[in-house]
Amino acid sequence: SFYYTQGLLLFIAMWCLVVWALLRKSVEPVNRKIASWTRPVWTEVRFLLAAACLLWALLPGLLNLDLVYELLYSYSYGWDGGYSFAAWGMAVLRLVTMNVPALIALFWLWRLLRNDHQQNPKEARRSLLRALFRSLRARELKRPVEKRLARSSGLVLLALLAYFALSLFPMAVLVNFVRIHPGIWGWCLLLLACLLEALLVWALYSAWRSRGLARDIAALADQVETVRAGDLAKPLTLPRDADLRQTAEHLNDIQAGMKAALEEQTRSERMKVELVSNVSHDLKTPLTSILSYAELLRQEDLPPAAADYAHIIDQKAQRLKTMVEDVFDISKAAADQLPVHLERLDLAKLLRQTLADLDGPIQKSCLTFRTDLPEEPVMITADGRRLYRVFQNLIDNALRYALEGSRVYLSLKTAEGIAEASVRNTSRGELPVGVDFTARFVRGDASRTDGGSGLGLSIARSFTEACGGEFRVETVADLFTAVVTFPTEQKGQDT
């Protein structure tokens, strides 16, 4: 009956193997579906099921005393003949195959676990121990790095000390044994034990040195944090015998290089700002004279050609005056020297006032303005004069570069304590890709014949940021949008 049972199991196994070979290409969707079912099962539950199946498979054979006796007897006395070795092999086979349902359950459990590990990533599996270890790790990471390293090195040192103390008694027994029974094998064993003790002492010394390494790493991490905060004046000094002394010196060199580069950049920016300011200031006096004489010429009774020349001189001088003032304002804003008077103002009212002041150029243009402004006040903190200049430049930019006959949208919306004002228009020409339109002297008309200076959006961004807001430009195909955002003030809030 035993051989009949084994033959039947072998036949079933071969039949299952053939079926698997025929259907192995079409079982992938089934495997994914099964993996979705087994994913919520905790990892600890899987190990408990595997242990239970293994115990279920081996316990009946272990409880069979005759089988155990046969297994031990054939193992102890069966190495002198093939029959006894075969008997031992048969005893092992009977022990393993005594509980066939348990073996089948163990196999399918292994198959399900393997499929789950193949289909589901490690992060998607649920585990109580993994969650516990992650929480402990997250809690440990909140501690300073020097404390974490000192704690781990201290635990290693205590474990090595405990092992060293426990190894002293076997070492004493071995020495006494060699003294009573001297021999070559005893002395070899004693030499090996001495080598192991020497390695243990070296490990203790290394663990003790790691505590100093932890302090050096902590000092290095603090220095990196100091450099990150912008303090480039204080270098890091470590002892000469420190393992990280060379790394600290490299960090000091980087710190010194950053300090020198920052000082050079600051000096260059200061010289550039001073140069622009001085040039702008020096240009104002002759420019004022040019404008005055141009006005006087226009009042004279001149021939038509000379009158046109005087008009062109006055027009270009006015443009030069505007450009000089713009450059002067940008230089002051770049140097954080732009005077700003912050006050509590109504942004919706400011936008209406800007539109009213520019009503003349708007009416002369071929554009249609559509406004979406709330009736209730939208209170923000900003400099009204600077912010008026921002929206004046944005509307002027739309008048210059918007497609003729198109619409310009001016809207103001509030959400989650943020006021967002936007000016949207369709560009007359094709907008280039990857261009920062808020940079200086970047213009919509590359031919520079439209009368613009290329500083309008740069001034708008500088003035907005100086008032504490944010400015950005968004382009989608030929749609150009300038957005200004400010945090809103609550009703009754003091500024």
Side-chain angles (χ1 to χ4, degrees):
S1 62
F2 173 77
Y3 288 110
Y4 289 154
T5 304
Q6 300 301 321
L8 180 61
L9 291 176
L10 180 61
F11 174 76
I12 296 175
M14 295 299 295
W15 181 80
C16 292
L17 185 61
V18 172
V19 173
W20 171 82
L22 295 175
L23 302 178
R24 67 181 184 276
K25 294 184 179 180
S26 60
V27 297
E28 189 64 25
V30 180
N31 289 337
R32 288 196 295 267
K33 187 65 176 179
I34 294 175
S36 65
W37 294 341
T38 58
R39 183 185 305 166
V41 181
W42 295 88
T43 303
E44 291 76 15
V45 176
R46 301 175 185 179
F47 280 106
L48 289 177
L49 290 175
C53 290
L54 186 61
L55 184 62
W56 181 27
L58 298 180
L59 188 60
L62 296 177
L63 294 178
N64 190 343
L65 297 180
D66 294 338
L67 182 59
V68 174
Y69 175 76
E70 181 181 354
L71 181 64
L72 296 176
Y73 179 81
S74 59
Y75 177 77
S76 302
Y77 302 100
W79 296 107
D80 55 348
Y83 175 78
S84 297
F85 181 76
W88 179 78
M90 291 300 297
V92 173
L93 184 61
R94 288 179 59 191
L95 176 64
V96 174
T97 60
M98 181 167 287
N99 195 347
V100 176
L103 290 178
I104 296 176
L106 187 62
F107 167 78
W108 281 110
L109 180 62
W110 169 80
R111 184 69 181 83
L112 291 175
L113 292 178
R114 183 173 179 272
N115 178 71
D116 183 78
H117 282 222
Q118 288 179 344
Q119 301 293 334
N120 297 323
K122 184 178 180 180
E123 293 76 13
R125 304 171 202 160
R126 305 174 63 184
S127 173
L128 290 174
L129 292 178
R130 187 183 299 117
L132 178 61
F133 290 152
R134 286 179 178 176
S135 62
L136 293 177
R137 180 60 179 170
R139 182 179 179 183
E140 185 72 13
L141 289 176
K142 295 180 180 179
R143 300 165 60 91
V145 61
E146 65 273 14
K147 292 186 178 181
R148 297 200 305 267
L149 293 175
R151 183 179 179 181
S152 60
S153 60
L155 292 176
V156 172
L157 184 61
L158 289 177
L160 290 175
L161 285 174
Y163 183 75
F164 181 75
L166 293 176
S167 65
L168 292 178
F169 178 74
M171 188 68 179
V173 173
L174 181 59
V175 170
N176 187 47
F177 176 79
V178 173
R179 185 178 61 84
I180 298 174
H181 304 285
I184 183 63
W185 294 110
W187 285 105
C188 291
L189 188 60
L190 182 60
L191 179 60
L192 180 61
C194 292
L195 291 176
L196 292 177
E197 290 294 323
L199 290 176
L200 185 58
V201 171
W202 178 80
L204 285 171
Y205 174 74
S206 300
W208 177 260
R209 283 293 303 272
S210 64
R211 297 175 63 88
L213 182 61
R215 290 192 296 269
D216 295 343
I217 292 177
L220 198 62
D222 294 339
Q223 184 67 12
V224 171
E225 187 65 24
T226 301
V227 174
R228 175 180 173 272
D231 186 3
L232 303 176
K234 184 179 180 181
L236 176 62
T237 303
L238 293 180
R240 291 185 175 276
D241 59 343
D243 295 329
L244 297 177
R245 179 177 174 82
Q246 186 177 6
T247 305
E249 291 178 352
H250 291 168
L251 181 60
N252 291 336
D253 294 339
I254 295 174
Q255 185 176 345
M258 292 176 60
K259 182 180 179 181
L262 183 60
E263 291 176 352
E264 180 65 25
Q265 182 181 2
T266 304
R267 184 171 61 256
S268 176
E269 290 291 334
R270 188 184 302 113
M271 292 178 60
K272 182 169 61 176
V273 171
E274 291 177 356
L275 176 62
V276 172
S277 301
N278 294 333
V279 170
S280 300
H281 184 270
D282 294 339
L283 286 176
K284 286 184 178 180
T285 301
L287 187 58
T288 303
S289 300
I290 294 174
L291 289 172
S292 301
Y293 283 111
E295 182 66 23
L296 292 175
L297 285 175
R298 294 182 62 185
Q299 295 176 3
E300 296 291 334
D301 188 12
L302 300 174
D308 291 339
Y309 297 155
H311 177 71
I312 293 174
I313 291 174
D314 181 72
Q315 183 181 7
K316 298 300 182 181
Q318 291 289 348
R319 177 185 173 188
L320 181 59
K321 178 183 176 182
T322 303
M323 185 180 298
V324 170
E325 292 176 351
D326 291 345
V327 171
F328 186 69
D329 290 338
I330 288 181
S331 64
K332 290 192 295 184
D336 293 333
Q337 298 177 358
L338 185 69
V340 176
H341 176 65
L342 297 180
E343 58 182 349
R344 196 165 182 261
L345 54 89
D346 183 4
L347 183 57
K349 182 178 179 180
L350 179 66
L351 292 175
R352 292 190 180 94
Q353 179 182 352
T354 308
L355 285 174
D357 294 343
L358 296 177
D359 184 65
I362 292 175
Q363 295 298 330
K364 293 180 181 179
S365 67
C366 301
L367 303 176
T368 303
F369 275 72
R370 294 283 188 265
T371 60
D372 182 13
L373 305 178
E375 296 296 333
E376 64 276 6
V378 179
M379 307 306 297
I380 65 172
T381 299
D383 188 329
R385 188 166 60 92
R386 303 296 182 186
L387 204 56
Y388 174 85
R389 178 72 179 281
V390 169
F391 292 107
Q392 185 183 36
N393 286 1
L394 294 181
I395 295 175
D396 182 71
N397 183 78
L399 293 175
R400 291 179 183 276
Y401 301 111
L403 181 66
E404 295 182 0
S406 62
R407 287 176 288 274
V408 179
Y409 296 89
L410 175 62
S411 63
L412 175 60
K413 299 179 181 180
T414 58
E416 299 180 357
I418 299 295
E420 181 178 283
S422 62
V423 179
R424 182 180 296 106
N425 65 271
T426 303
S427 176
R428 182 188 309 156
E430 183 178 359
L431 294 176
V433 180
V435 175
D436 183 10
F437 290 95
T438 62
R440 302 176 188 178
F441 303 106
V442 175
R443 303 180 46 181
D445 187 3
S447 63
R448 296 185 179 269
T449 59
D450 57 356
S453 62
L455 297 173
L457 295 179
S458 180
I459 292 175
R461 184 187 66 177
S462 300
F463 283 13
T464 302
E465 294 176 352
C467 294
E470 295 182 1
F471 183 88
R472 70 178 186 273
V473 171
E474 301 173 353
T475 58
V476 178
D478 293 337
L479 184 62
F480 181 91
T481 306
V483 183
V484 177
T485 58
F486 276 90
T488 59
E489 298 286 345
Q490 301 297 330
K491 294 182 178 181
Q493 181 178 352
D494 295 333
T495 60

Short mmCIF file of all heavy atoms in Angstrom, two decimals, residues 308-338:
data_model
loop_
_atom_site.label_atom_id
_atom_site.label_comp_id
_atom_site.label_asym_id
_atom_site.label_seq_id
_atom_site.Cartn_x
_atom_site.Cartn_y
_atom_site.Cartn_z
N ASP A 308 8.83 119.12 -37.03
CA ASP A 308 8.82 117.64 -36.88
C ASP A 308 10.08 117.16 -36.18
O ASP A 308 10.02 116.26 -35.33
CB ASP A 308 8.70 116.99 -38.26
CG ASP A 308 7.34 117.23 -38.89
OD1 ASP A 308 6.40 117.54 -38.13
OD2 ASP A 308 7.23 117.11 -40.13
N TYR A 309 11.21 117.79 -36.51
CA TYR A 309 12.45 117.39 -35.84
C TYR A 309 12.39 117.69 -34.34
O TYR A 309 12.83 116.88 -33.51
CB TYR A 309 13.63 118.13 -36.47
CG TYR A 309 13.87 117.80 -37.92
CD1 TYR A 309 14.53 118.71 -38.76
CD2 TYR A 309 13.44 116.59 -38.46
CE1 TYR A 309 14.75 118.41 -40.09
CE2 TYR A 309 13.66 116.30 -39.79
CZ TYR A 309 14.30 117.20 -40.60
OH TYR A 309 14.51 116.90 -41.91
N ALA A 310 11.86 118.84 -34.00
CA ALA A 310 11.75 119.19 -32.58
C ALA A 310 10.81 118.23 -31.86
O ALA A 310 11.06 117.84 -30.70
CB ALA A 310 11.25 120.63 -32.44
N HIS A 311 9.72 117.83 -32.54
CA HIS A 311 8.79 116.87 -31.93
C HIS A 311 9.45 115.52 -31.71
O HIS A 311 9.27 114.88 -30.66
CB HIS A 311 7.56 116.72 -32.83
CG HIS A 311 6.58 115.71 -32.32
ND1 HIS A 311 5.78 115.90 -31.21
CD2 HIS A 311 6.28 114.45 -32.78
CE1 HIS A 311 5.03 114.84 -31.00
NE2 HIS A 311 5.31 113.94 -31.95
N ILE A 312 10.24 115.08 -32.67
CA ILE A 312 10.94 113.79 -32.53
C ILE A 312 11.97 113.86 -31.41
O ILE A 312 12.12 112.92 -30.61
CB ILE A 312 11.60 113.40 -33.86
CG1 ILE A 312 10.53 113.10 -34.91
CG2 ILE A 312 12.51 112.19 -33.68
CD1 ILE A 312 11.09 112.85 -36.30
N ILE A 313 12.68 115.01 -31.31
CA ILE A 313 13.66 115.16 -30.23
C ILE A 313 12.97 115.08 -28.88
O ILE A 313 13.44 114.40 -27.96
CB ILE A 313 14.41 116.50 -30.39
CG1 ILE A 313 15.32 116.44 -31.62
CG2 ILE A 313 15.24 116.80 -29.14
CD1 ILE A 313 15.98 117.77 -31.94
N ASP A 314 11.84 115.78 -28.75
CA ASP A 314 11.11 115.75 -27.48
C ASP A 314 10.60 114.34 -27.17
O ASP A 314 10.67 113.88 -26.03
CB ASP A 314 9.95 116.73 -27.55
CG ASP A 314 9.17 116.77 -26.25
OD1 ASP A 314 9.69 117.31 -25.26
OD2 ASP A 314 8.03 116.23 -26.22
N GLN A 315 10.10 113.62 -28.18
CA GLN A 315 9.57 112.27 -27.96
C GLN A 315 10.68 111.32 -27.53
O GLN A 315 10.51 110.54 -26.57
CB GLN A 315 8.91 111.77 -29.25
CG GLN A 315 8.27 110.41 -29.13
CD GLN A 315 7.64 109.95 -30.44
OE1 GLN A 315 7.79 110.61 -31.48
NE2 GLN A 315 6.95 108.84 -30.38
N LYS A 316 11.82 111.34 -28.20
CA LYS A 316 12.91 110.43 -27.85
C LYS A 316 13.52 110.80 -26.49
O LYS A 316 13.93 109.92 -25.72
CB LYS A 316 13.99 110.47 -28.92
CG LYS A 316 13.50 110.01 -30.29
CD LYS A 316 12.99 108.57 -30.24
CE LYS A 316 12.54 108.11 -31.62
NZ LYS A 316 12.00 106.72 -31.60
N ALA A 317 13.56 112.11 -26.18
CA ALA A 317 14.09 112.51 -24.88
C ALA A 317 13.17 112.05 -23.75
O ALA A 317 13.64 111.63 -22.68
CB ALA A 317 14.28 114.03 -24.86
N GLN A 318 11.87 112.13 -23.98
CA GLN A 318 10.93 111.63 -22.97
C GLN A 318 11.10 110.13 -22.77
O GLN A 318 11.05 109.63 -21.64
CB GLN A 318 9.48 111.95 -23.41
CG GLN A 318 9.11 113.42 -23.39
CD GLN A 318 8.99 113.96 -21.97
OE1 GLN A 318 8.95 113.21 -20.99
NE2 GLN A 318 8.95 115.30 -21.87
N ARG A 319 11.30 109.41 -23.87
CA ARG A 319 11.53 107.96 -23.75
C ARG A 319 12.82 107.67 -23.00
O ARG A 319 12.88 106.78 -22.15
CB ARG A 319 11.58 107.34 -25.14
CG ARG A 319 11.88 105.85 -25.13
CD ARG A 319 12.05 105.33 -26.54
NE ARG A 319 12.50 103.95 -26.53
CZ ARG A 319 12.89 103.28 -27.61
NH1 ARG A 319 12.86 103.87 -28.80
NH2 ARG A 319 13.29 102.03 -27.51
N LEU A 320 13.88 108.46 -23.29
CA LEU A 320 15.15 108.28 -22.59
C LEU A 320 15.00 108.59 -21.10
O LEU A 320 15.57 107.92 -20.25
CB LEU A 320 16.22 109.16 -23.22
CG LEU A 320 17.62 109.07 -22.62
CD1 LEU A 320 18.16 107.65 -22.70
CD2 LEU A 320 18.57 110.04 -23.33
N LYS A 321 14.21 109.61 -20.77
CA LYS A 321 13.97 109.96 -19.37
C LYS A 321 13.27 108.82 -18.64
O LYS A 321 13.64 108.45 -17.52
CB LYS A 321 13.14 111.24 -19.30
CG LYS A 321 12.80 111.65 -17.87
CD LYS A 321 11.91 112.88 -17.86
CE LYS A 321 11.51 113.22 -16.42
NZ LYS A 321 10.59 114.40 -16.38
N THR A 322 12.25 108.24 -19.29
CA THR A 322 11.54 107.11 -18.67
C THR A 322 12.47 105.93 -18.46
O THR A 322 12.45 105.26 -17.42
CB THR A 322 10.36 106.70 -19.55
OG1 THR A 322 9.50 107.83 -19.73
CG2 THR A 322 9.58 105.57 -18.92
N MET A 323 13.32 105.66 -19.45
CA MET A 323 14.24 104.55 -19.34
C MET A 323 15.26 104.77 -18.22
O MET A 323 15.58 103.85 -17.46
CB MET A 323 14.97 104.33 -20.67
CG MET A 323 15.87 103.10 -20.69
SD MET A 323 16.69 102.89 -22.28
CE MET A 323 15.27 102.65 -23.35
N VAL A 324 15.77 105.98 -18.09
CA VAL A 324 16.72 106.27 -17.02
C VAL A 324 16.08 106.10 -15.65
O VAL A 324 16.66 105.52 -14.73
CB VAL A 324 17.29 107.70 -17.19
CG1 VAL A 324 18.09 108.12 -15.96
CG2 VAL A 324 18.16 107.77 -18.43
N GLU A 325 14.85 106.57 -15.51
CA GLU A 325 14.15 106.41 -14.24
C GLU A 325 13.89 104.93 -13.95
O GLU A 325 14.00 104.49 -12.79
CB GLU A 325 12.83 107.18 -14.28
CG GLU A 325 13.01 108.69 -14.31
CD GLU A 325 11.69 109.41 -14.45
OE1 GLU A 325 10.67 108.73 -14.69
OE2 GLU A 325 11.67 110.66 -14.32
N ASP A 326 13.55 104.16 -14.98
CA ASP A 326 13.31 102.73 -14.77
C ASP A 326 14.58 102.02 -14.34
O ASP A 326 14.57 101.19 -13.42
CB ASP A 326 12.77 102.10 -16.06
CG ASP A 326 11.36 102.58 -16.39
OD1 ASP A 326 10.72 103.16 -15.49
OD2 ASP A 326 10.93 102.39 -17.54
N VAL A 327 15.69 102.31 -15.01
CA VAL A 327 16.96 101.69 -14.65
C VAL A 327 17.36 102.07 -13.23
O VAL A 327 17.85 101.24 -12.45
CB VAL A 327 18.06 102.08 -15.66
CG1 VAL A 327 19.42 101.62 -15.17
CG2 VAL A 327 17.76 101.49 -17.02
N PHE A 328 17.12 103.30 -12.85
CA PHE A 328 17.46 103.76 -11.50
C PHE A 328 16.61 103.03 -10.46
O PHE A 328 17.12 102.61 -9.41
CB PHE A 328 17.24 105.27 -11.42
CG PHE A 328 17.69 105.88 -10.12
CD1 PHE A 328 19.04 105.94 -9.80
CD2 PHE A 328 16.76 106.36 -9.22
CE1 PHE A 328 19.45 106.49 -8.59
CE2 PHE A 328 17.17 106.92 -8.02
CZ PHE A 328 18.52 106.98 -7.70
N ASP A 329 15.31 102.86 -10.75
CA ASP A 329 14.44 102.15 -9.80
C ASP A 329 14.83 100.68 -9.68
O ASP A 329 14.83 100.11 -8.58
CB ASP A 329 12.98 102.27 -10.26
CG ASP A 329 12.45 103.68 -10.09
OD1 ASP A 329 13.01 104.44 -9.28
OD2 ASP A 329 11.47 104.03 -10.80
N ILE A 330 15.17 100.05 -10.80
CA ILE A 330 15.54 98.63 -10.76
C ILE A 330 16.84 98.45 -9.98
O ILE A 330 17.00 97.50 -9.21
CB ILE A 330 15.67 98.08 -12.19
CG1 ILE A 330 14.29 97.93 -12.82
CG2 ILE A 330 16.38 96.73 -12.19
CD1 ILE A 330 14.31 97.38 -14.23
N SER A 331 17.78 99.35 -10.17
CA SER A 331 19.05 99.23 -9.45
C SER A 331 18.84 99.37 -7.94
O SER A 331 19.45 98.65 -7.15
CB SER A 331 20.03 100.29 -9.95
OG SER A 331 19.55 101.59 -9.67
N LYS A 332 17.96 100.27 -7.53
CA LYS A 332 17.67 100.41 -6.11
C LYS A 332 16.94 99.19 -5.57
O LYS A 332 17.21 98.74 -4.45
CB LYS A 332 16.86 101.68 -5.86
CG LYS A 332 17.63 102.96 -6.07
CD LYS A 332 16.88 104.16 -5.54
CE LYS A 332 15.60 104.40 -6.32
NZ LYS A 332 14.90 105.63 -5.87
N ALA A 333 16.02 98.63 -6.36
CA ALA A 333 15.30 97.43 -5.92
C ALA A 333 16.24 96.24 -5.82
O ALA A 333 16.14 95.42 -4.90
CB ALA A 333 14.15 97.12 -6.88
N ALA A 334 17.19 96.11 -6.76
CA ALA A 334 18.14 95.00 -6.71
C ALA A 334 19.06 95.11 -5.51
O ALA A 334 19.52 94.09 -4.98
CB ALA A 334 18.96 94.96 -8.00
N ALA A 335 19.34 96.33 -5.06
CA ALA A 335 20.21 96.53 -3.90
C ALA A 335 19.43 96.62 -2.60
O ALA A 335 20.01 96.96 -1.57
CB ALA A 335 21.04 97.79 -4.10
N ASP A 336 18.14 96.30 -2.63
CA ASP A 336 17.27 96.40 -1.45
C ASP A 336 17.30 97.80 -0.84
O ASP A 336 17.22 97.97 0.38
CB ASP A 336 17.68 95.37 -0.39
CG ASP A 336 17.43 93.94 -0.85
OD1 ASP A 336 16.52 93.75 -1.67
OD2 ASP A 336 18.15 93.03 -0.40
N GLN A 337 17.42 98.80 -1.68
CA GLN A 337 17.43 100.19 -1.24
C GLN A 337 16.21 100.95 -1.74
O GLN A 337 16.18 102.18 -1.68
CB GLN A 337 18.71 100.88 -1.72
CG GLN A 337 19.98 100.27 -1.16
CD GLN A 337 21.23 100.93 -1.71
OE1 GLN A 337 21.15 101.83 -2.55
NE2 GLN A 337 22.38 100.49 -1.23
N LEU A 338 15.21 100.24 -2.26
CA LEU A 338 14.02 100.90 -2.77
C LEU A 338 13.14 101.31 -1.59
O LEU A 338 12.70 100.45 -0.81
CB LEU A 338 13.25 99.95 -3.70
CG LEU A 338 12.05 100.55 -4.42
CD1 LEU A 338 12.50 101.58 -5.44
CD2 LEU A 338 11.23 99.45 -5.09
#
